[in-house]
Amino acid sequence: GEDITERKRVEDALQASEQHLRLLVQHLHAGVVVHGPDTQIMLANEQASRLLGLSVDQMMGKTAIDPAWRFVREDETVLPLDEYPVRRVLDTLQPIRDLVIGVERPATQDRIWALASAFPEFDAHKRLRQVVVTFIDITDLKRTEAKLQQRDQYQRALLDNFPFAVWLKDTESRFLSVNQGFVQL
C-alpha cells in the first residue's frame, strides 16, 4: 500500500509540475515551438500561433498550411526548408541564436519579422530528445529601421545635390560624412 501511495504522490507532483510549465510557456511573450527529432511539433504556444499566423492545429500537423505561408530572409528571398531553424539544429545539433526571419502570413496578408533562436535538448543518453524554437516579434524594430534607412537615403540625396560643400566632423575633427560638393571642392 505505501509504495502505491508514494508512486501516486510522485505522479501527481510530476503532473502538476508539467501543467505549471505548460502554463508558463503559454504566457510567455515569445513564441515557442517544440519539435521532436522527426520535426513533428509536440508543443506550440498561443504567441507562436499569433506570430506565425498559423493555428495550433496547423502547427501540430492536423490541417494543411497555405502554400503562400513561408519564411523569408532579410533580403526578402524565400528561406529554403533546410535553412529553417529546426532543420539547422537537426542537421548540426548546435544551437542557433538571433536569426532574423520574415513570416509571410496569407491569412492576414502581411509579413512580420521575428528574431528566431533554436536549441537541441538531449536525454540522459545524449540522444536528441527535442528542438526548442523561440520567436520574438521585431516587426516594429524592422519598420523603424526601414524608415531610418529611407530618411538617410533622402538626406544623402539632398546633401549630394546641394550646391555647396557640406561636411560633418566628430568632436575629434574626424570626418564622418561629406557631400559631393565637398568632394568636388
Side-chain angles (χ1 to χ4, degrees):
E2 231 176 89
D3 274 352
I4 294 172
T5 304
E6 178 62 17
R7 188 177 322 136
K8 177 72 172 133
R9 189 187 67 70
V10 168
E11 286 174 2
D12 288 348
L14 281 172
Q15 187 175 21
S17 177
E18 184 176 310
Q19 286 174 340
H20 177 71
L21 286 173
R22 283 186 184 274
L23 192 61
L24 283 174
V25 168
Q26 285 303 331
H27 289 93
L28 284 175
H29 186 63
V32 177
V33 179
V34 180
H35 296 265
D38 60 354
T39 74
Q40 181 179 348
I41 294 177
M42 300 162 39
L43 173 75
N45 69 358
E46 289 299 320
Q47 181 67 1
S49 175
R50 280 190 293 277
L51 287 175
L52 300 177
L54 299 170
S55 70
V56 172
D57 280 348
Q58 286 174 313
M59 285 190 282
M60 300 303 277
K62 294 179 182 164
T63 59
I65 295 174
D66 188 322
W69 183 95
R70 63 181 156 262
F71 286 142
V72 295
R73 297 181 180 110
E74 281 190 274
D75 68 3
E76 302 189 10
T77 59
V78 174
L79 189 70
L81 286 174
D82 63 339
E83 291 182 30
Y84 278 32
V86 67
R87 281 279 16 133
R88 287 179 50 188
V89 170
L90 287 170
D91 291 344
T92 65
L93 299 180
Q94 296 296 314
I96 60 168
R97 289 179 180 32
D98 303 333
L99 173 67
V100 176
I101 54 175
V103 183
E104 298 285 335
R105 306 182 310 177
T108 50
Q109 297 183 341
D110 66 353
R111 174 189 296 160
I112 65 107
W113 290 96
L115 198 58
S117 294
F119 62 92
E121 284 190 351
F122 301 94
D123 65 17
H125 303 289
K126 297 186 180 179
R127 289 181 301 230
L128 182 66
R129 194 177 74 141
Q130 60 190 21
V131 176
V132 179
V133 184
T134 61
F135 300 93
I136 297 171
D137 187 354
I138 60 167
T139 305
D140 289 342
L141 180 66
K142 291 292 283 179
R143 286 182 183 143
T144 300
E145 183 182 81
K147 286 178 185 175
L148 287 172
Q149 285 176 347
Q150 209 173 23
R151 186 200 68 196
D152 289 349
Q153 289 170 352
Y154 173 75
Q155 286 177 343
R156 169 61 39 205
L158 189 65
L159 283 176
D160 279 345
N161 290 305
F162 201 63
F164 304 102
V166 178
W167 63 93
L168 179 64
K169 288 185 174 184
D170 64 14
T171 56
E172 296 172 9
S173 291
R174 291 181 294 217
F175 284 99
L176 298 175
S177 180
V178 298
N179 73 346
Q180 286 297 355
F182 182 87
V183 172
Q184 290 171 356
L185 181 70

